[in-house]
Amino acid sequence: MDRMFRVLGFFTLTIGLMAFAGDLTEMALLFFLQTAFFVILGYMKFTEKTYVLLFWGYMIVAFSGFSYWTVFQMGLPL
């Protein structure tokens, strides 16, 4: 399971680099922070249950943040 967090780090790094190349600096920085988060957790040698709980927590925070941003910050389309 720890390898999957390193794989997530690789993919977030790839997305961050593409965002940086596309001149989306804020998005690139967000994905670089996620890369550091995933890679650090990938080397901490937790149990599989801990990794699953960490991933669920990450998904709850990510989807809540995404939902908040799309509903309250972007506004409703007219």
Side-chain angles (χ1 to χ4, degrees):
M1 196 68 175
D2 55 345
R3 290 185 196 146
M4 290 312 299
F5 270 76
R6 286 179 269 185
V7 170
L8 285 170
F10 170 76
F11 283 118
T12 54
L13 176 65
T14 305
I15 293 169
L17 289 173
M18 288 189 292
F20 193 70
D23 214 18
L24 300 169
T25 310
E26 294 86 6
M27 179 181 166
L29 291 175
L30 179 66
F31 274 89
F32 291 150
L33 288 173
Q34 290 180 23
T35 299
F37 173 74
F38 285 136
V39 170
I40 288 170
L41 284 178
Y43 283 106
M44 293 189 81
K45 301 291 183 190
F46 290 130
T47 64
E48 186 171 346
K49 183 178 180 180
T50 305
Y51 278 119
V52 170
L53 291 173
L54 283 169
F55 185 71
W56 273 98
Y58 168 76
M59 294 306 290
I60 288 170
V61 170
F63 284 134
S64 298
F66 179 77
S67 298
Y68 169 79
W69 188 264
T70 55
V71 172
F72 296 111
Q73 295 296 321
M74 292 178 69
L76 297 173
L78 296 176

XYZ file of all heavy atoms in Angstrom:
643
model
N 0.826 -1.196 0.000
C 0.000 0.000 0.000
C 0.868 1.256 0.000
O 0.462 2.274 -0.561
C -0.917 -0.047 1.224
C -2.052 0.891 1.157
S -3.193 0.389 -0.116
C -4.462 1.549 0.133
N 2.034 1.177 0.609
C 2.905 2.349 0.621
C 3.361 2.714 -0.788
O 3.542 3.888 -1.107
C 4.092 2.130 1.553
C 4.893 0.877 1.220
O 4.395 0.031 0.460
O 6.003 0.752 1.741
N 3.503 1.714 -1.643
C 3.901 1.989 -3.032
C 2.830 2.768 -3.775
O 3.142 3.580 -4.652
C 4.187 0.685 -3.763
C 5.426 0.009 -3.282
C 5.717 -1.206 -4.132
N 6.682 -2.052 -3.448
C 6.690 -3.358 -3.518
N 5.778 -3.976 -4.234
N 7.594 -4.045 -2.878
N 1.569 2.520 -3.441
C 0.491 3.233 -4.126
C 0.511 4.723 -3.793
O 0.174 5.554 -4.641
C -0.870 2.626 -3.771
C -1.083 1.253 -4.361
S -0.683 1.122 -6.118
C -1.803 2.265 -6.835
N 0.925 5.070 -2.575
C 1.040 6.488 -2.239
C 2.189 7.128 -3.022
O 2.095 8.284 -3.423
C 1.225 6.663 -0.728
C -0.070 6.799 0.003
C -0.860 5.684 0.244
C -0.519 8.022 0.441
C -2.062 5.798 0.911
C -1.721 8.146 1.109
C -2.495 7.030 1.347
N 3.253 6.370 -3.251
C 4.335 6.904 -4.086
C 3.895 7.034 -5.535
O 4.291 7.976 -6.230
C 5.570 6.023 -3.960
C 6.257 6.230 -2.613
C 7.448 5.361 -2.471
N 6.966 4.124 -1.843
C 7.740 3.142 -1.470
N 9.029 3.207 -1.659
N 7.234 2.068 -0.915
N 3.044 6.110 -6.003
C 2.485 6.223 -7.350
C 1.591 7.456 -7.445
O 1.643 8.197 -8.437
C 1.711 4.940 -7.727
C 0.913 5.118 -9.006
C 2.670 3.766 -7.864
N 0.772 7.691 -6.422
C -0.046 8.908 -6.392
C 0.843 10.151 -6.423
O 0.516 11.147 -7.080
C -0.941 8.924 -5.154
C -2.151 8.009 -5.175
C -2.788 7.954 -3.793
C -3.153 8.482 -6.190
N 1.968 10.093 -5.716
C 2.915 11.205 -5.752
C 3.470 11.431 -7.141
O 3.618 12.571 -7.592
N 3.760 10.347 -7.846
C 4.262 10.474 -9.222
C 3.230 11.134 -10.125
O 3.552 12.040 -10.902
C 4.652 9.096 -9.770
C 4.944 9.093 -11.237
C 6.134 9.612 -11.711
C 4.014 8.604 -12.138
C 6.402 9.625 -13.070
C 4.269 8.614 -13.487
C 5.467 9.126 -13.961
N 1.972 10.678 -10.015
C 0.942 11.249 -10.883
C 0.623 12.696 -10.534
O 0.377 13.512 -11.424
C -0.319 10.390 -10.859
C -0.191 9.137 -11.679
C -0.280 7.894 -11.088
C 0.043 9.202 -13.042
C -0.141 6.741 -11.841
C 0.184 8.063 -13.809
C 0.087 6.818 -13.201
N 0.623 13.030 -9.252
C 0.384 14.434 -8.899
C 1.558 15.307 -9.343
O 1.356 16.459 -9.721
C 0.120 14.606 -7.398
O 1.185 14.019 -6.658
C -1.204 13.984 -7.005
N 2.771 14.754 -9.304
C 3.922 15.506 -9.826
C 3.768 15.749 -11.320
O 4.021 16.859 -11.810
C 5.219 14.753 -9.544
C 6.491 15.376 -10.119
C 6.761 16.725 -9.467
C 7.665 14.444 -9.942
N 3.329 14.730 -12.054
C 3.125 14.878 -13.495
C 2.071 15.936 -13.798
O 2.267 16.795 -14.670
C 2.702 13.526 -14.101
O 3.679 12.541 -13.764
C 2.575 13.621 -15.598
N 0.963 15.894 -13.078
C -0.092 16.892 -13.286
C 0.413 18.280 -12.908
O 0.128 19.268 -13.596
C -1.350 16.511 -12.488
C -1.959 15.244 -13.049
C -2.375 17.644 -12.506
C -3.039 14.636 -12.181
N 1.178 18.379 -11.823
C 1.733 19.663 -11.417
C 2.690 20.237 -12.457
O 2.669 21.439 -12.729
N 3.508 19.383 -13.044
C 4.431 19.858 -14.083
C 3.684 20.312 -15.332
O 4.049 21.319 -15.954
C 5.441 18.761 -14.434
C 6.481 18.461 -13.365
C 7.306 17.242 -13.763
C 7.383 19.662 -13.131
N 2.627 19.589 -15.699
C 1.833 20.018 -16.853
C 1.116 21.337 -16.568
O 1.021 22.195 -17.450
C 0.832 18.933 -17.239
C 1.472 17.719 -17.879
S 0.300 16.551 -18.560
C -0.481 15.925 -17.084
N 0.622 21.502 -15.339
C -0.029 22.753 -14.983
C 0.974 23.903 -14.988
O 0.662 25.006 -15.439
C -0.691 22.633 -13.611
N 2.177 23.631 -14.508
C 3.215 24.664 -14.511
C 3.599 25.050 -15.936
O 3.797 26.230 -16.242
C 4.434 24.174 -13.733
C 5.421 25.242 -13.409
C 5.113 26.228 -12.485
C 6.659 25.266 -14.021
C 6.020 27.219 -12.183
C 7.573 26.250 -13.720
C 7.253 27.232 -12.802
N 3.680 24.060 -16.821
C 3.991 24.338 -18.225
C 2.859 25.104 -18.894
O 3.099 25.880 -19.820
C 4.259 23.038 -18.973
N 1.625 24.889 -18.425
C 0.476 25.593 -18.983
C 0.211 26.935 -18.340
O -0.831 27.537 -18.565
N 1.146 27.403 -17.509
C 1.062 28.712 -16.860
C -0.083 28.795 -15.852
O -0.688 29.844 -15.674
C 0.945 29.820 -17.907
C 1.641 31.090 -17.458
O 2.474 31.014 -16.539
O 1.340 32.155 -18.023
N -0.385 27.670 -15.192
C -1.376 27.628 -14.123
C -0.621 27.455 -12.804
O -0.581 26.377 -12.218
C -2.354 26.473 -14.333
C -3.158 26.502 -15.627
C -3.874 25.192 -15.858
C -4.139 27.654 -15.591
N -0.035 28.524 -12.333
C 0.886 28.463 -11.204
C 0.214 27.996 -9.921
O 0.773 27.158 -9.203
C 1.535 29.844 -10.981
O 2.046 30.315 -12.229
C 2.657 29.752 -9.982
N -0.981 28.511 -9.618
C -1.648 28.113 -8.377
C -1.980 26.627 -8.372
O -1.786 25.934 -7.365
C -2.927 28.931 -8.159
C -2.691 30.403 -7.916
C -2.590 31.202 -9.204
O -2.815 30.606 -10.297
O -2.283 32.397 -9.132
N -2.471 26.128 -9.486
C -2.784 24.706 -9.586
C -1.517 23.871 -9.476
O -1.508 22.827 -8.814
C -3.487 24.421 -10.913
C -3.836 22.976 -11.147
S -4.632 22.784 -12.750
C -4.534 21.025 -12.947
N -0.438 24.325 -10.100
C 0.829 23.594 -10.034
C 1.339 23.518 -8.598
O 1.772 22.450 -8.146
C 1.861 24.260 -10.935
N 1.257 24.608 -7.866
C 1.713 24.596 -6.471
C 0.863 23.678 -5.612
O 1.385 22.966 -4.741
C 1.699 26.014 -5.907
C 2.751 26.960 -6.492
C 2.557 28.363 -5.930
C 4.143 26.454 -6.226
N -0.444 23.663 -5.847
C -1.323 22.759 -5.117
C -0.933 21.301 -5.363
O -0.847 20.499 -4.435
C -2.777 23.004 -5.529
C -3.823 22.111 -4.879
C -3.896 22.385 -3.382
C -5.165 22.331 -5.531
N -0.652 20.963 -6.603
C -0.283 19.585 -6.916
C 1.124 19.250 -6.436
O 1.400 18.097 -6.088
C -0.445 19.312 -8.409
C -1.846 18.904 -8.763
C -2.794 19.855 -9.077
C -2.222 17.583 -8.745
C -4.088 19.497 -9.378
C -3.513 17.196 -9.049
C -4.455 18.163 -9.363
N 2.028 20.215 -6.392
C 3.358 19.951 -5.830
C 3.260 19.672 -4.328
O 3.969 18.814 -3.805
C 4.307 21.112 -6.098
C 4.690 21.265 -7.551
C 4.987 22.512 -8.063
C 4.742 20.181 -8.402
C 5.334 22.673 -9.397
C 5.088 20.319 -9.747
C 5.382 21.570 -10.236
N 2.373 20.385 -3.630
C 2.156 20.103 -2.205
C 1.564 18.713 -2.002
O 1.963 17.990 -1.076
C 1.241 21.163 -1.595
C 1.864 22.542 -1.400
C 0.805 23.544 -0.951
C 2.988 22.474 -0.396
N 0.635 18.334 -2.861
C 0.074 16.997 -2.772
C 1.134 15.939 -3.058
O 1.142 14.871 -2.431
C -1.084 16.834 -3.755
C -2.306 17.609 -3.375
C -3.428 17.414 -4.376
O -3.475 16.428 -5.091
N -4.340 18.368 -4.418
N 2.036 16.227 -3.982
C 3.126 15.299 -4.281
C 3.987 15.074 -3.049
O 4.293 13.921 -2.698
C 3.993 15.849 -5.437
O 3.182 15.980 -6.601
C 5.170 14.945 -5.713
N 4.367 16.148 -2.383
C 5.180 16.017 -1.172
C 4.425 15.223 -0.106
O 5.013 14.341 0.548
C 5.548 17.397 -0.645
N 3.143 15.483 0.053
C 2.310 14.776 1.026
C 2.297 13.277 0.738
O 2.535 12.454 1.625
C 0.893 15.368 0.987
C -0.115 14.645 1.818
C -0.105 14.757 3.193
C -1.090 13.866 1.220
C -1.048 14.095 3.974
C -2.033 13.201 1.982
C -2.014 13.320 3.359
N 2.039 12.903 -0.501
C 1.948 11.488 -0.854
C 3.296 10.777 -0.761
O 3.364 9.639 -0.290
C 1.375 11.317 -2.259
C -0.101 11.550 -2.333
C -0.641 12.298 -3.357
C -0.960 11.016 -1.395
C -2.008 12.514 -3.445
C -2.322 11.227 -1.467
C -2.841 11.967 -2.498
N 4.358 11.418 -1.196
C 5.668 10.765 -1.162
C 6.143 10.577 0.282
O 6.663 9.516 0.641
C 6.696 11.556 -2.003
C 8.094 11.042 -1.793
C 6.311 11.494 -3.479
N 5.952 11.591 1.112
C 6.345 11.462 2.524
C 5.553 10.344 3.191
O 6.123 9.504 3.896
C 6.154 12.808 3.255
C 7.214 13.798 2.797
C 6.214 12.617 4.763
C 6.979 15.217 3.261
N 4.239 10.294 2.956
C 3.439 9.219 3.540
C 3.828 7.859 2.972
O 3.730 6.848 3.665
C 1.953 9.473 3.304
C 1.310 10.538 4.173
C -0.151 10.709 3.783
C 1.424 10.190 5.638
N 4.263 7.826 1.722
C 4.643 6.570 1.097
C 5.866 5.934 1.721
O 6.055 4.720 1.633
N 6.713 6.723 2.352
C 7.925 6.190 2.964
C 7.806 6.007 4.475
O 8.789 5.682 5.125
C 9.118 7.097 2.658
C 9.626 6.903 1.248
C 9.371 7.851 0.268
C 10.348 5.780 0.904
C 9.822 7.687 -1.023
C 10.805 5.587 -0.379
C 10.540 6.550 -1.340
O 10.980 6.367 -2.621
N 6.616 6.186 5.036
C 6.471 6.107 6.487
C 6.166 4.709 7.010
O 6.149 4.493 8.211
C 5.420 7.108 6.965
C 5.877 8.531 6.752
S 4.820 9.732 7.502
C 5.383 9.679 9.170
N 5.908 3.747 6.132
C 5.710 2.341 6.503
C 4.586 2.147 7.524
O 4.758 1.502 8.552
C 7.010 1.729 7.038
C 8.155 1.767 6.073
C 7.919 0.835 4.922
C 9.139 0.839 4.005
N 8.896 0.146 2.777
N 3.416 2.722 7.237
C 2.246 2.498 8.064
C 1.635 1.137 7.732
O 2.005 0.497 6.749
C 1.190 3.583 7.833
C 1.572 4.934 8.357
C 1.474 6.065 7.567
C 2.014 5.088 9.659
C 1.805 7.308 8.050
C 2.347 6.332 10.162
C 2.250 7.443 9.354
N 0.651 0.729 8.519
C -0.079 -0.492 8.190
C -1.044 -0.197 7.050
O -1.347 0.961 6.738
C -0.857 -1.013 9.409
O -1.842 -0.046 9.767
C 0.067 -1.295 10.582
N -1.553 -1.271 6.445
C -2.464 -1.094 5.322
C -3.745 -0.387 5.758
O -4.270 0.467 5.038
C -2.796 -2.454 4.707
C -3.614 -2.334 3.453
C -3.755 -3.646 2.714
O -3.021 -4.588 3.025
O -4.606 -3.706 1.821
N -4.235 -0.708 6.937
C -5.447 -0.056 7.439
C -5.222 1.448 7.601
O -6.099 2.254 7.270
C -5.851 -0.675 8.775
C -7.125 -0.108 9.335
C -7.525 -0.787 10.631
C -8.803 -0.181 11.167
N -9.209 -0.808 12.422
N -4.053 1.835 8.096
C -3.747 3.250 8.266
C -3.703 3.961 6.924
O -4.218 5.076 6.782
C -2.412 3.422 9.006
O -2.472 2.718 10.227
C -2.114 4.877 9.260
N -3.099 3.307 5.918
C -3.052 3.917 4.587
C -4.455 4.079 4.001
O -4.757 5.096 3.371
C -2.188 3.091 3.642
C -0.715 3.362 3.783
C 0.170 2.371 4.152
C -0.203 4.632 3.535
C 1.517 2.623 4.277
C 1.139 4.902 3.654
C 1.995 3.893 4.027
O 3.328 4.160 4.143
N -5.318 3.109 4.215
C -6.683 3.208 3.705
C -7.417 4.355 4.403
O -8.113 5.157 3.757
C -7.427 1.873 3.873
C -8.904 2.029 3.588
C -6.822 0.819 2.964
N -7.267 4.464 5.712
C -7.916 5.558 6.442
C -7.367 6.922 6.024
O -8.123 7.898 5.891
C -7.745 5.358 7.942
C -8.523 4.181 8.546
C -8.131 3.981 10.006
C -10.010 4.405 8.399
N -6.060 7.018 5.795
C -5.474 8.265 5.312
C -6.020 8.640 3.940
O -6.308 9.809 3.666
C -3.954 8.151 5.249
C -3.208 8.246 6.567
C -1.752 7.841 6.385
C -3.293 9.651 7.109
N -6.171 7.642 3.078
C -6.690 7.916 1.743
C -8.148 8.373 1.807
O -8.531 9.305 1.108
C -6.554 6.689 0.845
C -6.972 6.950 -0.568
C -6.192 7.746 -1.386
C -8.141 6.423 -1.071
C -6.567 8.012 -2.694
C -8.533 6.685 -2.365
C -7.747 7.468 -3.180
N -8.963 7.722 2.646
C -10.354 8.153 2.815
C -10.419 9.574 3.357
O -11.241 10.379 2.902
C -11.117 7.200 3.723
C -11.707 6.052 2.979
C -11.195 4.798 2.867
C -12.898 6.070 2.188
N -12.005 4.030 2.076
C -13.068 4.787 1.654
C -13.847 7.050 1.915
C -14.138 4.454 0.837
C -14.915 6.717 1.096
C -15.055 5.435 0.569
N -9.574 9.887 4.315
C -9.541 11.250 4.842
C -9.151 12.253 3.781
O -9.745 13.337 3.676
N -8.160 11.891 2.971
C -7.738 12.770 1.880
C -8.881 12.986 0.888
O -9.127 14.111 0.443
C -6.521 12.176 1.169
C -6.211 12.857 -0.133
C -5.596 14.101 -0.152
C -6.550 12.271 -1.344
C -5.323 14.746 -1.343
C -6.290 12.901 -2.535
C -5.680 14.133 -2.536
O -5.420 14.766 -3.709
N -9.584 11.924 0.545
C -10.669 12.051 -0.418
C -11.813 12.909 0.128
O -12.400 13.701 -0.610
C -11.198 10.660 -0.817
C -10.191 9.833 -1.584
S -9.522 10.654 -3.030
C -10.929 10.667 -4.085
N -12.129 12.769 1.401
C -13.187 13.595 2.002
C -12.802 15.071 1.965
O -13.596 15.930 1.577
C -13.487 13.122 3.435
C -14.211 11.785 3.390
C -14.311 14.155 4.192
C -14.353 11.106 4.733
N -11.561 15.376 2.335
C -11.103 16.765 2.310
C -11.067 17.302 0.878
O -11.521 18.425 0.606
C -9.720 16.889 2.983
C -9.107 18.256 2.752
C -9.830 16.599 4.467
N -10.562 16.499 -0.060
C -10.444 16.952 -1.450
C -11.818 17.197 -2.078
O -12.035 18.228 -2.719
C -9.663 15.930 -2.269
N -12.752 16.263 -1.895
C -14.068 16.440 -2.494
C -14.864 17.545 -1.810
O -15.628 18.246 -2.474
C -14.853 15.135 -2.485
C -14.378 14.157 -3.543
C -14.164 12.837 -3.220
C -14.131 14.565 -4.833
C -13.726 11.936 -4.170
C -13.694 13.681 -5.798
C -13.492 12.361 -5.463
N -14.690 17.695 -0.520
C -15.370 18.798 0.169
C -14.836 20.137 -0.322
O -15.609 21.069 -0.587
C -15.177 18.690 1.678
O -15.745 17.513 2.176
N -13.524 20.253 -0.453
C -12.927 21.486 -0.967
C -13.339 21.769 -2.392
O -13.663 22.912 -2.754
N -13.356 20.748 -3.225
C -13.771 20.923 -4.618
C -15.231 21.350 -4.706
O -15.572 22.256 -5.468
C -13.548 19.623 -5.396
C -13.966 19.699 -6.829
C -13.178 20.355 -7.757
C -15.154 19.132 -7.244
C -13.565 20.435 -9.084
C -15.552 19.211 -8.562
C -14.756 19.863 -9.494
N -16.083 20.699 -3.916
C -17.511 21.044 -3.930
C -17.739 22.467 -3.427
O -18.538 23.221 -3.998
C -18.301 20.060 -3.074
O -18.190 18.761 -3.603
N -17.043 22.845 -2.358
C -17.168 24.211 -1.847
C -16.747 25.216 -2.919
O -17.438 26.205 -3.156
C -16.314 24.393 -0.591
C -16.183 25.828 -0.167
C -17.212 26.460 0.516
C -15.046 26.571 -0.480
C -17.116 27.787 0.880
C -14.939 27.897 -0.127
C -15.971 28.503 0.556
O -15.869 29.818 0.902
N -15.611 24.969 -3.549
C -15.099 25.921 -4.532
C -16.043 26.056 -5.719
O -16.335 27.173 -6.168
C -13.712 25.496 -5.011
C -13.076 26.538 -5.858
C -13.067 26.620 -7.215
C -12.395 27.704 -5.390
N -12.414 27.739 -7.626
C -11.992 28.429 -6.523
C -12.090 28.189 -4.127
C -11.292 29.612 -6.415
C -11.385 29.372 -4.034
C -11.000 30.066 -5.169
N -16.545 24.932 -6.236
C -17.405 25.008 -7.420
C -18.766 25.616 -7.112
O -19.348 26.279 -7.979
C -17.612 23.610 -8.054
O -18.117 22.725 -7.080
C -16.311 23.082 -8.599
N -19.290 25.431 -5.912
C -20.615 25.955 -5.602
C -20.551 27.400 -5.125
O -21.297 28.268 -5.600
C -21.321 25.080 -4.548
C -22.618 25.718 -4.068
C -21.606 23.694 -5.120
N -19.650 27.699 -4.187
C -19.682 29.009 -3.535
C -18.681 30.023 -4.111
O -18.927 31.227 -4.029
C -19.435 28.857 -2.036
C -20.513 28.068 -1.349
C -20.242 26.812 -0.846
C -21.785 28.566 -1.228
C -21.227 26.075 -0.212
C -22.789 27.847 -0.589
C -22.505 26.590 -0.096
N -17.606 29.579 -4.678
C -16.619 30.527 -5.202
C -16.793 30.805 -6.688
O -16.577 31.918 -7.134
C -15.198 29.999 -4.928
C -14.851 29.902 -3.474
C -14.828 31.247 -2.778
O -14.385 32.247 -3.336
N -15.331 31.277 -1.550
N -17.151 29.781 -7.455
C -17.308 29.982 -8.892
C -18.644 30.624 -9.233
O -18.791 31.254 -10.283
C -17.154 28.665 -9.653
C -15.758 28.125 -9.615
S -15.598 26.549 -10.453
C -15.835 27.011 -12.136
N -19.624 30.453 -8.388
C -20.933 31.032 -8.648
C -21.746 30.179 -9.596
O -21.251 29.254 -10.228
N -23.028 30.498 -9.661
C -23.916 29.753 -10.530
C -23.859 30.314 -11.940
O -23.785 31.531 -12.137
C -25.350 29.836 -10.004
C -25.570 29.220 -8.618
C -26.982 29.508 -8.142
C -25.322 27.743 -8.665
N -23.899 29.450 -12.946
C -23.907 29.967 -14.329
C -25.238 30.639 -14.632
O -26.296 30.220 -14.159
C -23.724 28.699 -15.176
C -24.162 27.587 -14.307
C -23.904 27.995 -12.895
N -25.165 31.686 -15.396
C -26.395 32.424 -15.734
C -26.896 32.079 -17.099
O -26.349 31.837 -18.037
C -26.130 33.924 -15.648
C -25.784 34.413 -14.246
C -25.452 35.896 -14.288
C -26.937 34.172 -13.302
